[in-house]
Structure formats: structure tokens, C-alpha cells
Amino acid sequence: MTTFNQTHNPSRPLAQAQQWLRAVSDKLTARNLASTARQLLLPAIGILLFLGFWHLAAPQVETSLGAFPGPAQVLEQSGQLWQEHSDQRDRAAKFVTMQEQRNERILAENPEAEVKIRDYPGAPTFLDQIVTSLGTVLAGFMLATVIAVPLGIIIGLNRHFSAAVNPLIQIFKPVSPLAWLPLVTMVVSATYVSDDPMFEKSFLTSMITVTLCSLWPTLINTSVGVAAVNPDLLNVSKVLQLSFWTHVRKVVLPSSIPMIFTGLRVSLGIAWMVLIAAEMLAQSPGLGKFVWDEFQNGSSQSLSRIMVAVLAIGFIGFLLDRIMLLVQKKVAWNE
Amino acid sequence: MSKPHLELTNVQMAFDTPTGPFIALENVDLKIRKGEFVSLIGHSGCGKSTVLNIVAGLLQATRGGCVLDGHEVNTPGPERAVVFQNHSLMPWLTVYENVELAVQQVFRKSMSKAERRDWILHNLNLVNMGHALDKRPGEISGGMAQRVGIARALAMKPSVLLMDEPFGALDALTRAHLQDSLMEIQQDLNSTVIMITHDVDEAVLLSDRIVMMTNGPAATVGEELHIKLPRPRNRVALADHPEYVHYRQAVLSFLYEKQSFPAKQTPPRTEPGADSATEEADGDAGTFTVHAAPSGRTALAQPAEENA
Ligand SMILES: Nc1ncnc2c1ncn2[C@@H]1O[C@H](COP(=O)(O)OP(=O)(O)O)[C@@H](O)[C@H]1O
Ligand SMILES: [Mg+2]
């Protein structure tokens, strides 16, 4: 980039205009264009190439439910799913208005009468399932965080404790959600008995499975981050005779925040992947169940609808990661 | 002689290593008066940091011990503030907050909030860092960060100020400027200082006494040199002062004639500290920083880093 080489001379406006023009054209240099291209153009090209390949390859793949859906069918089905959702919202609204009108009539005849409004009994739509899945994943991830961060701090601070639990972590870390699920289901059924349950059992099962699978990266990263605090800073803390809590709050935590967040992002990604599998397997409400139902349904549109779900899952996973990145930028001092 | 302020008696330090105990220090004896400025000098790896860490309470001597004002030193504490070689500021705290952390901790009970604030600002102004209160350590130069480290240590009102190569990582100009500031501050506060240095001129210019250590293993105090130059000292005026030249000569002779190149006597070692951060000033190659003439009176000029 050239710098403004201003010769302050008001009697030469032409020269100044020239300089201004040069500055503008500098902004449009090849390097600037190239970086804009890298930011926008290349990803766009990548996506277009993928869509083209998909469009061409999909009809070649014959399944028992017809050819594999191409981008056009998938787009059509996503519109369809949205339509079904809004139709159902309309019906639900009508259902409620009807009840309200009926209740008014009843009350007009007999002011003492007890009236109530029932919820619309329709099946959850695609969007409802997304909301359910998001709620479950966030609950499971929160629980994992609340367990993993404090535990990771203790492990990182105490070498003996670390040596004691390390083998356990190494063994449980690679366990697949599919293995946990039956155990969690049985335990939840046996222990969570209540007449007026606050949570659905299926919600608890999915959530706990998510927690069990996603807490490891945060746990490991937190403990590594805590153990890796600069020894000079630890010495400062000793010289200042900071209390345990002040030491943790003022030295250990801020120092390991970047590592903790790296772990949290990996954990959230795993949580989202595990949740879909758990919902499919456990038949608990959510995107996984949507995919499973469509698979069982086996209509000519099922594959397109599953493909919509696949893309939605990917997109939501991407968004979740982006949100974590934003939170990290807010919290971490080194960003 | 009156009772010493700080006394190291018959200190031995043995480190456990995979190949058996390594005796770093043996029979180290040192008595320091109140208000005295003592420099520790010796070849790299001889055990200077180990001595300092024992006084700081960060290491426990395996024999003998350290007594400060009649109390044995066992644990670290703010009355023995340490200035580390690489400033050791919390990178997530601002300049002000770094000093605040120390002041909060030491004067929580004895000072009001307003008094603490004044005291923090006072110390930062003392080292000319009042202009960068809200900067993070990553946003200021190494010299500035080292000033803040000194301000943090001074703000604890320590009875002994311990400095481990405080200026080792700085360029010559900045170093000279900080040396002058330190001399002034030390004279005003009459603080007791133990400073490790690789710089012969720095040692002679700043110290009341230079303690020269023999090469390790089993290093001990080799010679002591009392520097009886009048204060305040001016580096330019001292440049060809015969006594100054004589003191420098004495230190150099100890290092290069009596305790010459240590590499042949000690096996190669892995340096635990950050000593190697300064190739220029590091004794690994047997080179000590010896200026042909003391650098110019840079205190008059603003060091370059301040204008950045
Ligand atoms: N924690 C430790 N474990 C083993 N050896 C150590 C340890 N700390 C220092 N040493 C050894 O003790 C000697 C003195 O080290 P140090 O005090 O850092 O030297 P200096 O500060 O004079 O360069 C060196 O040989 C070093 O390798
Ligand atoms: Mg050292």
C-alpha cells in the first residue's frame, strides 16, 4: 500500500484530486480483490461445485425408494416442511379459538362453570423437533460444562488426583453414545419416578447421554490448561499468598480460559452429534426421531426429507460453533 | 556488629534428579544489612536463582536456612517481593489491575479503598508508568512491563526486594534508564535489595556489595567486594573514575581468571529457568556483558520505547 504523500499546496487542487484518485484505486489493488475473493468467491465456488456434482450424481443412485434426491427435490421438500409447519400452527390457533368461543358460551349460560383449554394434539412438525433437539442439546451441554470445568480444575491443580482419575478418563472418553444409551434409559426409568414429572423421561435419557459423551473434551482441556499455568505466575501467586479461591479466580481460571473454550467447542460439537444418534435410537422427540420416522415411513419423499434434516443438522451444528466462538471472544482476554 | 537484617547460614541445596541428588549450593553464608544493595554475580547455572528463591521462600534449603528480622523463612510472602526476569505480569489484567492485585492482597485491611488507589497510582508513577494504566502487558514494551513488575513489587512495601536479572531481557538504553530509576528509588526508600545480574557494570554501578559465586556444582560465595563509591552515582562521571575501574577489574578477574569458563567443569544441563532468554547477557558462552564504557546518560533522553 502506498501512503498518502501529501504535499499541502491548496493552489494545486488538480494534484490533490489526482492523489485522492490514486488512493481510491489503491484500495482496488489486486491484493485487496484477491482477499475479497478468498473470503466470498471461493466458498461460493465450492458450494456451487458441490451442488452441481450432487445434481449430476444423485439420479445415478437408485434406492428402493426411488432415485437419491437431488438439490431441487430437497429444496422442494424444505418448502413443504415449512408449509406443513405453518398449516399446523394455523390449525392449532383455530383449535384454541374454537375452545375459547365455546368456553365463552358456557360461561354466559353458567358463570360458575369450570372451563379449560386443551393444547392442540397434532404431531410435532420438523421445526418443533428442531426446537426440542436444541433444548436437549443445550441442557446436556450445560450439565457437562458444570461438571467438567470444576472437575478439570481440581484435576489440573492436584497431581495426585490427576494420576488417580486419568485412567478412568482415558477409558470412558472413547465410549460411544450407543453403548451408554440402554444403561441410561434403564437407570432413568428406575430412578426418576414421579406422578407429575417436571421432565419427560425421554428428554432426561437423551440429555444424560449427551452429557456423558460430551464432557470429556472440556474435562481434559480444562485440566491441561490448569496444569499449564506459567510457573512464574504461580510464583507470583505464592509470593502474594493468594488464598485458594483468589488463586483459582485470579490466576488459574483466566490463564486456562482459552484452553477451556477450545474444549467447550469440541464438546458442543460432540454433544450435537451424539444427540441425533441418541434420539434416533431412543425414539425420543427431536431431529433424530424425525429422521427415524421418515426412514420408517418409506414414502417417495422420505429421502428428500431426511436430506433436509441432514442439512439442517449440519447448519445448526455450524451455528452452535459460531455462537461459542462469539462467546469466547467476549470472555477470553487473548482474543 | 549489629544483628543482620537478613542472614543465610550454611545453606545447602540439593535437587532430586533422575540420576540422584544434585548439590547445587553448599555452605552458602550471607549477611545483609538493612538498606543494603547486594548484587549476586556468577557464571550461568552456578546457583544464583536458587539462592534468591530460597530467600523468597519458593525453594526450601536442604540444610541451613534463611532468617529475616529474626524469623526463619519457610514460605513465600509479600515482605520478600520478587521481580522476575520476564516481568511475570498477569497477561489478562491491565497494568493498574496487576499492581492492584498485589496491593489488595497486602493492604486489604490496613488501607481504605481510596488509599489503596492512591498507593497503586503512586507506585506506577514512581516507575513512570502512570500513562498506561489501562494497557494490558501484551500492549506495552518489555521495558515498560518490567517497570510495572518493579512497581508491583515496590507496592508491597517489602522489607527485601529480590530481583532475578530484572533488566536482562532489555536493550542497553532501556536498561540504563531503569538502572538509574532503580538507584533513585532505592535511595529514597532505603530498601534492602538483592539483585542477580550478568552485567558487571550494572553490578558495580548499583551495588553496595557484590557477592561473587563460584561455579557449580556445590557453588558457594567466592568473594565479596564492597563498592565504596559515593552516592548518588552518575554513570558518566564514573566512567573513568579510578576506583570504578578497579572494582570492575576485580569482578572480571574473579569471573575470568579465578572462576574461568565453567563449561568444562559442569556437565551440560537443562536450564529450568528462563535464563537463556537473553543470549547476549547469558553466561552460557562464558560472555558477560561488559561495556567498553558505561553507556551514555540515557536518563535524560526518553528511551525509544516510550515514544512508540
Ligand atoms: N528444580 C531443579 N531440579 C534440578 N536441578 C535444578 C533445579 N533448579 C536448578 N537446578 C540446577 O541447579 C543449578 C543452579 O541453577 P540456577 O540457580 O538456576 O542457576 P543460575 O540462576 O545461577 O543461572 C543448575 O545447574 C541447575 O541445572
Ligand atoms: Mg538464574
Side-chain angles (χ1 to χ4, degrees), chain A residues 20 36 54 77 85 91 106 156 163 178 241 268 299 324 326:
Chain A
W20 183 79
T36 318
W54 180 13
Q77 275 312 312
H85 176 73
R91 279 202 298 276
I106 297 176
L178 310 182
Q241 293 181 331
L268 186 55
S299 80
M324 277 307 286
L326 286 182

Side-chain angles (χ1 to χ4, degrees), chain B residues 104 107-108 111-120:
Chain B
Q104 195 95 333
F107 301 111
R108 209 173 10 195
M111 282 189 192
S112 74
K113 211 168 164 197
E115 282 171 331
R116 286 200 300 261
R117 186 177 166 75
D118 287 347
W119 179 238
I120 296 165

Side-chain angles (χ1 to χ4, degrees), chain B residues 49 164-165 275:
Chain B
S49 296
D164 195 344
E165 297 180 41
D275 278 10

Side-chain angles (χ1 to χ4, degrees), chain A residues 229-230 232-243 246 249-252 254-256 333-334, chain B residues 56 58 75-78 80-82 84 86 88-93 101-102 105-106 136 152 156:
Chain A
V229 178
N230 181 344
D232 282 344
L233 299 187
L234 295 182
N235 280 341
V236 171
S237 174
K238 283 184 198 153
V239 168
L240 288 177
Q241 293 181 331
L242 296 185
S243 69
T246 319
R249 268 188 321 121
K250 296 276 168 121
V251 182
V252 170
S255 167
S256 34
W333 48 270
N334 65 340
Chain B
L58 293 166
T75 52
R80 281 160 286 124
V82 186
F84 297 92
N86 46 357
S88 298
L89 301 177
M90 310 285 165
W92 49 88
L93 298 181
L101 181 66
Q105 191 62 22
V106 181
R136 294 254 169 86
R152 175 175 65 185
M156 300 178 209

Side-chain angles (χ1 to χ4, degrees), chain B residues 13-18 20 22-25 41-53 59 164-165 196 198 213-214 216-219 266-275 282-284:
Chain B
M13 186 73 217
F15 290 108
D16 280 328
T17 65
F22 172 79
I23 313 280
L25 299 176
I41 200 164
H43 285 285
S44 186
C46 70
K48 305 180 294 293
S49 296
T50 308
V51 172
L52 203 80
N53 285 336
L59 283 176
D164 195 344
E165 297 180 41
I196 295 177
H198 268 116
M213 291 185 61
T214 62
T266 49
R269 66 206 164 72
T270 46
E271 177 67 33
D275 278 10
D282 203 280
D284 267 330

